[in-house]
Amino acid sequence: MRNKITHPFQLSPINVSIGLILCTLIILADPSRTKVSADLIKLKNGGEIRGKIVPFTKMGSKETRIMKTLSGGSISIDAEHIEFITNRPLVIEEYETKSKNIEDTVEAHLKLAEWCSQNHLRAQRNQEMEQIIRLNPDHAKARASLGYTKRNGEWTTRDEVMRGNGYIKYKGRYVSSAELELLEKNEADLEKERAWIKKIKLWLAWTNGNDLLRQQAGLREIQSISDPYAVAGLARLMGKHKSIAIRSLLVSTLTQITGDKPLRPLAELVLTDPNQAIRTAALQALTKRDATKAIAYFIQALKNKSNVIVQRAGSGLEAIGDQSVIPDLISALITKHTYRVRVPDATSTYSYNTNGTFGNSGVVLPPDIEAGLLAGRYPNGVIVLPSQQPKIRMRTVSVKYSHQNEAILLALQKISKQNFGYNERLWRLWWASTQNQTGIVPILQ
């Protein structure tokens, strides 16, 4: 890259970088920094430059950006070397400087978290509290600040408890799926749906009977359904049916019903059906219609306690392809999941570390089991039977793994046409650049 320095002193690129850092620290010491913003240029070679950008300039045949540094000098950067441009408060730059230089101790992260609170940086404060929990999983203050409570000896959030009990968040409160249906419908709609449930139940009984003519009649009746008020009955009676043929029939029937009512059951099939062919067919049915109202179901699934569901939600959002989901996908790039594992109760020789990995002293998980947990193949946990000790006492432990979600990354890459890997910070910087309201036009090449 060709840097043009306009300054009373001739500086090398290394000196410029050092000067930028020093000047940043000096400016950030100003109490008014929370009201001041700075521009950030992300370079394609990985570097970052901070300061204030002057109006768009064209030098010769090349487009350039001129950054006035915090020291009063300026740098010219060819546009071809710029990944993107964004604008952020200086106080956030100060946080990033502090976070990179502090000791990795509970005391240091707690002190920085308190600084974040004083400067109204809630998200950054939560990041520091997460670091404290990484170092000390039982740190009561950090747990409480992130909404955890201790239940049966384990830390858990209220959201996790309620979701685990089958409740859904609706307008700020938790309701059951049945209650949600009632809240979203009036009595007239419910009456129409009840009438359809009776019919569908009868036709399903015909298809499962021994009378061939009635089997065919029941199948024809279900295949001919086109009334949106039949969707609730179809989903309730066929969505969890043990027969793959019946669930496949559900997908084809929902496909021919117009409107938004089929969106929820189709999304649920995409996320939870054990058969891949049915999940694929349901996703195809969604993408053949306006599925923007189904986005909410997939976004909710990005927070599911099962990593398998999270990955499927990513694939669903990729297929829908709406750019509004980018921030949610960024948040789900790396997710933590807890697994319940039954292991031999040999406490004197068995250990597992605070980061969720197992120690190498005494009994350890078999490599294929641990690999399966990492891959999210055991959402309900596993039981490790002891070899040659059939009567040994067993115990249950909770193991936490952080998953880099490939399906989420693929969705981000397809929707955004960008690739910052699993670096959540760079993704957020880029997204901020696309939402910039300062008049700076982001360069995305």
Side-chain angles (χ1 to χ4, degrees):
M1 183 184 73
R2 192 165 51 85
N3 287 346
K4 179 182 178 182
I5 311 296
T6 305
H7 196 277
F9 303 98
Q10 185 65 36
L11 299 176
S12 68
I14 294 177
N15 289 334
V16 170
S17 300
I18 295 173
L20 284 171
I21 294 171
L22 292 175
C23 291
T24 299
L25 293 175
I26 292 171
I27 295 298
L28 292 174
D30 189 329
S32 64
R33 67 192 184 281
T34 55
K35 299 180 181 180
V36 180
S37 63
D39 297 316
L40 182 147
I41 294 180
K42 180 70 175 64
L43 302 174
K44 292 182 178 179
N45 66 4
E48 296 177 4
I49 304 175
R50 294 173 174 82
K52 293 298 293 184
I53 294 178
V54 301
F56 179 79
T57 308
K58 188 169 184 178
M59 301 181 71
S61 61
K62 291 187 177 181
E63 294 181 356
T64 65
R65 291 292 187 271
I66 297 178
M67 172 78 81
K68 284 191 174 296
T69 69
L70 299 176
S71 61
S74 63
I75 302 176
S76 296
I77 307 102
D78 290 342
E80 63 187 71
H81 299 300
I82 298 174
E83 187 77 44
F84 60 78
I85 300 171
T86 189
N87 183 276
R88 300 197 301 175
L90 280 174
V91 68
I92 293 181
E93 303 297 340
E94 183 175 3
Y95 164 75
E96 293 206 350
T97 300
K98 287 177 177 291
S99 65
K100 291 175 182 177
N101 294 311
I102 67 169
E103 295 182 6
D104 191 22
T105 64
V106 169
E107 294 73 17
H109 287 293
L110 188 59
K111 183 177 180 180
L112 184 53
E114 292 173 353
W115 180 89
C116 290
S117 295
Q118 295 169 1
N119 288 276
H120 312 291
L121 299 179
R122 182 176 179 180
Q124 288 76 10
R125 175 182 178 273
N126 290 344
Q127 289 177 21
E128 294 307 312
M129 290 300 184
E130 289 281 2
Q131 293 301 314
I132 292 171
I133 291 175
R134 175 180 60 82
L135 295 168
N136 180 4
D138 285 321
H139 196 284
K141 182 176 180 179
R143 287 287 186 180
S145 70
L146 294 175
Y148 285 88
T149 56
K150 212 163 192 177
R151 296 173 183 268
N152 301 322
E154 291 189 13
W155 292 103
T156 183
T157 65
R158 183 169 183 264
D159 284 351
E160 291 172 343
V161 172
M162 298 304 286
R163 286 199 302 267
N165 291 331
Y167 287 89
I168 302 165
K169 205 165 191 177
Y170 176 78
K171 294 185 177 179
R173 67 187 184 96
Y174 287 94
V175 298
S176 66
S177 57
E179 186 180 359
L180 180 62
E181 289 186 13
L182 292 173
L183 289 170
E184 293 179 336
K185 299 168 186 173
N186 57 40
E187 186 58 33
D189 291 341
L190 289 171
E191 190 58 38
K192 294 176 183 178
E193 291 183 354
R194 292 188 192 108
W196 271 109
I197 288 175
K198 292 179 181 179
K199 295 179 183 179
I200 296 168
K201 187 178 292 186
L202 175 63
W203 295 335
L204 278 175
W206 288 358
T207 61
N208 291 324
N210 296 321
D211 188 319
L212 181 59
L213 291 178
R214 283 203 167 184
Q215 286 181 6
Q216 294 174 343
L219 180 61
R220 284 196 303 272
E221 292 289 356
I222 293 174
Q223 289 176 327
S224 66
I225 294 175
S226 60
D227 188 347
Y229 287 104
V231 169
L234 289 167
R236 184 180 305 176
L237 298 172
M238 301 169 67
K240 301 294 182 182
H241 203 283
K242 63 181 180 180
S243 169
I244 294 177
I246 293 297
R247 301 201 308 276
S248 180
L249 174 61
L250 170 62
V251 174
S252 60
T253 304
L254 291 173
T255 302
Q256 66 193 22
I257 298 176
T258 59
D260 296 332
K261 290 184 182 294
L263 295 179
R264 183 193 291 271
L266 284 172
E268 289 177 351
L269 288 168
V270 172
L271 293 168
T272 64
D273 197 279
N275 185 276
Q276 183 175 351
I278 291 177
R279 295 198 304 271
T280 301
L283 185 57
Q284 290 174 346
L286 274 177
T287 56
K288 289 178 181 178
R289 61 174 71 209
D290 181 6
T292 52
K293 291 187 178 180
I295 288 174
Y297 309 130
F298 291 105
I299 288 178
Q300 182 182 18
L302 291 176
K303 300 177 181 179
N304 196 279
K305 63 181 181 180
S306 169
N307 186 255
V308 172
I309 301 299
V310 172
Q311 299 273 19
R312 290 175 184 172
S315 298
L317 291 172
E318 177 186 349
I320 296 173
D322 194 293
Q323 285 198 343
S324 66
V325 304
I326 287 178
D328 299 285
L329 289 171
I330 293 172
S331 297
L333 270 171
I334 301 175
T335 54
K336 291 182 180 179
H337 300 271
T338 302
Y339 301 92
R340 301 286 287 169
V341 183
R342 293 277 291 167
V343 298
D345 186 12
T347 55
S348 60
T349 59
Y350 178 82
S351 67
Y352 65 97
N353 301 322
T354 56
N355 63 358
T357 60
F358 285 82
N360 55 13
S361 60
V363 181
V364 296
L365 284 182
D368 57 332
I369 296 297
E370 185 158 6
L373 286 172
L374 281 169
R377 291 200 296 269
Y378 308 117
N380 299 318
V382 295
I383 297 177
V384 181
L385 297 176
S387 58
Q388 300 178 348
Q389 298 185 55
K391 294 183 179 180
I392 194 169
R393 188 171 62 179
M394 304 290 286
R395 67 187 176 111
T396 301
V397 296
S398 294
V399 186
K400 288 190 176 181
Y401 281 111
S402 292
H403 294 271
Q404 290 185 339
N405 299 315
E406 183 180 9
I408 304 296
L409 179 59
L410 291 174
L412 274 171
Q413 291 173 350
K414 180 178 178 180
I415 296 173
S416 70
K417 311 301 181 186
Q418 304 293 319
N419 184 12
F420 303 109
Y422 293 99
N423 191 323
E424 183 179 333
R425 175 181 173 274
L426 287 183
W427 278 108
R428 292 199 182 283
L429 282 174
W430 167 79
W431 179 246
S433 75
T434 68
Q435 308 302 300
N436 204 316
Q437 301 299 318
T438 63
I440 298 172
V441 179
I443 300 174
L444 305 174
Q445 297 180 353

